[in-house]
Amino acid sequence: MAEINNVVWLSLGSNFEDGKIRISRVLNKLYQCSDELHYSSIYRTQEINNPDKYYYNCVASMETNLKYDELNIIFKNLEKEEGRTAESKMKGQVEVDIDIVVYNNKIMRDFDFHQDFFKIGYDQVNMLKKML
């Protein structure tokens, strides 16, 4: 019996100057835990609480046999590899943030799902998947 693939939608973000590079490194690492991976361009959006600051964002869709909790552990480790610490988080420094927004058609982060930083990339990936 074949294992069921879980469909996961991720939001990736960074508010560092080299955020594009950081997100690109993470995307390359996501191939290791994914059977199929599609992702948007890396684009800038304004920070929600401070329109004078910007984030680099990307949305990825992946199929994997890994469970939600297993993925969260992997993603938190990837964040740490990029330098994310509890201290940097408290200071509002986001080296890289990886969040599971949708897992098997269940919205896990409702607020994020409705924000431009997710919707822009989500629409890009959906258009790409329709073209394949």
Side-chain angles (χ1 to χ4, degrees):
M1 179 180 204
E3 295 220 16
I4 298 173
N5 271 344
N6 300 304
V7 179
V8 183
W9 286 85
L10 306 173
S11 174
L12 296 89
S14 174
N15 64 3
F16 275 59
E17 290 280 328
D18 64 347
K20 280 185 171 184
I21 294 167
R22 292 172 181 271
I23 290 172
S24 293
R25 277 195 301 255
V26 169
L27 288 169
N28 285 326
K29 293 175 183 177
L30 289 179
Y31 281 106
Q32 297 171 11
C33 58
S34 176
D35 297 329
E36 188 172 327
L37 179 68
H38 302 282
Y39 52 88
S40 70
S41 63
I42 299 172
Y43 50 92
R44 281 180 52 174
T45 59
Q46 290 178 312
E47 187 177 304
I48 292 171
N49 296 323
N50 187 348
D52 293 332
K53 293 187 178 179
Y54 291 88
Y55 271 80
Y56 287 102
N57 300 100
C58 179
V59 171
S61 169
M62 61 188 283
E63 290 187 21
T64 181
N65 290 326
L66 297 172
K67 295 178 182 166
Y68 181 86
D69 292 335
E70 294 171 314
L71 289 169
N72 258 334
I73 291 168
I74 290 168
F75 299 154
K76 295 311 159 199
N77 285 334
L78 288 174
E79 289 176 356
K80 287 177 187 172
E81 286 176 21
E82 286 298 322
R84 190 122 197 240
T85 64
E87 184 180 325
S88 66
K89 190 173 182 177
M90 286 176 47
K91 291 180 180 178
Q93 299 170 331
V94 182
E95 290 85 350
V96 167
D97 185 38
I98 310 165
D99 292 316
I100 300 172
V101 178
V102 181
Y103 185 82
N104 286 337
N105 294 320
K106 181 178 180 191
I107 298 173
M108 309 302 285
R109 298 178 66 92
D110 188 63
F111 178 81
D112 293 0
F113 185 81
H114 293 95
Q115 299 304 311
D116 284 343
F117 68 79
F118 183 76
K119 290 191 307 185
I120 292 167
Y122 182 77
D123 290 344
Q124 283 182 14
V125 174
N126 272 321
M127 196 164 11
L128 170 69
K129 289 172 104 177
K130 286 178 185 175
M131 292 171 26
L132 297 177

